[in-house]
Amino acid sequence: MTDTRTIKVNDREIDVPSDATLLQACEIAGEEIPRFCYHERLSVAGNCRMCLIEVKGGPPKPVASCAQNVRDLRPGPEGQPPQLFTNTPMVKKAREGVMEFLLINHPLDCPICDQGGECDLQDQAVAYGRDGSRFEENKRAVEEKHMGPLIKTIMTRCIQCTRCVRFATEVAGVDDLGLVNRGENAEITTYLEKAVESELTGNLIDVCPVGALTSKPYAFNARPWELNKTETVDVMDAVGSNIRIDSRGRDVMRILPRLHEDVNEEWISDKTRFIWDGLKRQRLDTPYIRVDGKLKPARWEEAFALVAERVKATSPERIAGIVGDLVPAEAIKALRDLLTGLGTPHMDCRQDGAPLNAAAARGVRESYLFNSGISAIEDADAILLIGTNPRKEAVMVNARLRKTWLNNLNVRIGLVGEAADLTFDYEHLGTGPADLAAAFDMLNGAQRPMVIVGTGAIARKDGAAILSQIGQLAAARNVVRDGWNGFNILHTAAARVAALDLDFLPQEAGRDFAGILDGAKNRDIDVIYNLGADEFDTRELGGAFVIYQGHHGDAGARAADVIFPGAAYSEQNGIYVNMEGRVQMARRAHFPFGEAREDWAIIRALSGHLGTPLPYDDLFALRQAMIEQAPQLGRIDETVSGDSALDLGVLGAGDAVDLAPFVGAIGDFYMTNPIARASATMAACSASRSGADKIAAE
C-alpha cells in the first residue's frame, strides 16, 4: 500500500503519495504547474526551472517542483503539514524571469513554425511571460543537425530541455542524441551527424516542447486548427496502437498517438506515424476487369456481372477465399458468410502459414493470443522470446520489454532465434528448435514466467510440430497457472486475431492457404476471392480466376482478373482485434477515393448478384451477426482474463521437427504492407536504414 502524507497546497489540505514530486502533488490539488523539461515518462532533469513554486519553511527562494519529493518536506514547527504555494508574488516573478531567459535566443519564427498552435513555449509565454525583455544582445544561432528523413531540425529554437535526449536513451534505447558544450554554447546534436536509428524517432516531435524538432514530411502542410481529428486505431502491426488521424478533406495530413496505458502508452512507431502519404498514392479508385490480358476500368455492374457469371459456372468445391492483414472484422465476417452460402469449405486467413487455431485447439481462443497482455510484460520476472524480433514485428512490445529491463533489475530475458539489437540486454540461448529445451531452463523458479512465440518460429512447414514442442516445454514449466497465463503469440497482422475469432479457417475437408495455392496451380481451384492479401507470391495463384478486393495496386491487384476497389483503414468504420484479444473500434476519417466502397458493403452487394444475398443491409446488423458468432467481439477494449483453462498440451501437432534455425518474420520494417510500399516516406526510411546498416557492416 502506498504511503501517503498530508500537505497543504495554496492553503488547501490534501493527502498525496509520499513518493510523489511536488509538481505531481500540486497537480493532484488541481493547480497547473508549467514545465518544459519534465515529462512523466522520462527521468527528472530539472534544468528548465519553469516549474518553480514556493515552499513555506524552506529556503528563501523558489523550488523546482519536479526535482523534490513530498517525503523530503519538513513539517511546521508544531507539526503542521508542509505548505506549498503556486501563486505568490515570488513564484510569479521567478517564472517571468525564467521565461525571459528562455526567450533570449529564441527566434521569432512563430508565423512559419510548424509547432505554431500547439507549442508549449507559445502557450506558457502568454500565461507566464513579461511584456518586455532586459536583454539587447544579439541572438545566437545554432547549426542544423541531420536526423534522417523524418525529423526536421531548427536547433536555434532549442531550449535545451533534453527531453529528446532522455527519450532516445531511455525509451527508444539508442545513444544517437546528446548535449555538448556548456553555457551559451550548449546544443543538442547527433553524434557523427547521422540519422537517429530507431523505430520510435517520430515521438521526438511529440516530446519537444518547442519547434526545434518537427515532422519533415508534414512541414508547411497545415495548421492544427484546419484539421479534422478522428480517434481510431493503427493497423501497421498487431499491437493496435491508439492513434488520431488529422485530415483535411480527403487528405490525411498526419497521424498522432493517443494515450492508452495498456497498449501503446503515449508512443507510436514511425511506420504508424508517417505512413499517411501512402494512403493517397497508388490507390485503386474504380473497378477493373481483365480484357485480353490487360486490366481495364469498368463499372461496378460490369465487374459484379463478370464475377457472378464465373462463380455460378463453378462448383463450390472449386471456389476458395483468402484474407489479408489489414481487413476489418466486418469484412471478414461478410466474406465468410458469402463463401459458406456458396458451399465452399476452402478459406484461410493465415498468409504466413502459421498453424494457429489448429484442429486440436479449435475454439480455444487463448491458443493464439498474447495472453499476458502487453502491459503485463512489466510484471514478468523471466521472459523467453522464441523466433521473434519484436523491434521489427511489434515496436511497442519491444518498448515495453526495454521498460521492464530498465525498471526490474531481477528480470531475465532470453532469445532463441536470430540475434539482433533489441535495445536491451538479453541472453542469446540458441538459434533454432534444437536449443528450445535448454532455453526453457531459464524459466525454472520464475514466479511469473512469460513465453513470447513469434511467427518466425511457427510459420514454416514444421510449424505445428514446433508449436507442440513449445507447448509441452511451457507446460512443464507451469507457464499457465492460477492468475497468470504466460503463453503468448506475437502476431504481425492487424486482422489475424479477428479472423481467427470468426473461424475464417478451412472448414471440414477444406484447404488451408498453401492448399489453396496448390489447388490453383494444379487447376483444382478455379475461383479465388482475395480480400486484401498481398504478402505472398501471387504468381502461385496459377490459372485461377482471381477476384481481388483491396485499396492499393499492390501484388494482389497485379494478379487479379477482377478488382473491387475497397477502403483503407482510415476510410471505413470497423472493428480490429489486437494480439492480446482487445477489441477496438476504427473510425472513418474521410470517405474513400473515387468509386471505392467499404469492404463489407462490396461483399454484400456481390452476394445479391450471386443470388445468395447476405442477411444484413447495414453495419449494425452485420455487427450483430458477427457478435452472435463470436461474442467476445462485442466487448470493446476488453481482453481475456489472466486465469485460463488453456491446455498447452493440445497445441500444434507432433510431427517431425526440422532443425533449421528460426528466421524473423519481417525483413524490412518499413515495407510490410501495401500502404507502406506506396509511401515515399517509408521508402526514404528504408533506404536510409539500409545505407546505415551497410556502413555499420563495413
Side-chain angles (χ1 to χ4, degrees), residues 121 159 175 202 211 228 256 311 314 334 340 345 364 437-438 451 459 468 470 491 505 513 559:
L121 188 63
I159 61 172
D175 295 325
N228 294 318
L256 300 175
V311 170
T314 306
T340 301
V364 183
V451 176
S468 175
I470 292 171
H491 291 275
L505 295 163
F513 201 93

Side-chain angles (χ1 to χ4, degrees), residues 595-616:
E595 294 296 312
R597 296 292 183 266
E598 295 185 9
D599 285 326
W600 77 269
I602 295 172
I603 299 168
R604 171 62 183 86
L606 175 62
S607 70
H609 286 74
L610 294 175
T612 56
L614 297 176
Y616 29 78

Side-chain angles (χ1 to χ4, degrees), residues 12 14 292 403 440 442 625 666:
R12 179 187 169 197
I14 60 169
D292 297 329
K403 182 179 179 182
F440 267 86
M442 71 164 290
I666 292 178

Side-chain angles (χ1 to χ4, degrees), residues 141-156:
V142 179
E143 184 180 352
E144 303 312 334
K145 306 297 185 292
H146 171 64
M147 291 192 185
L150 302 178
I151 307 296
K152 175 185 174 184
T153 64
I154 300 184
M155 301 310 292
T156 303

Side-chain angles (χ1 to χ4, degrees), residues 52 101 240 261 464 551 562 643 651:
L52 296 174
F101 268 111
E261 293 289 356
H551 39 75
V562 175
D643 298 312
L651 299 179

Side-chain angles (χ1 to χ4, degrees), residues 97-116:
V98 169
M99 181 59 67
E100 190 176 359
F101 268 111
L102 292 175
L103 295 176
I104 291 173
N105 290 312
H106 198 79
L108 298 175
D109 281 350
C110 295
I112 60 160
C113 178
D114 277 316
Q115 197 84 345

Side-chain angles (χ1 to χ4, degrees), residues 440-461:
F440 267 86
D441 289 341
M442 71 164 290
L443 302 180
N444 292 338
Q447 298 301 309
R448 288 179 173 260
M450 181 178 288
V451 176
I452 300 178
V453 182
T455 51
I458 56 177
R460 37 192 263 173
K461 290 184 178 179

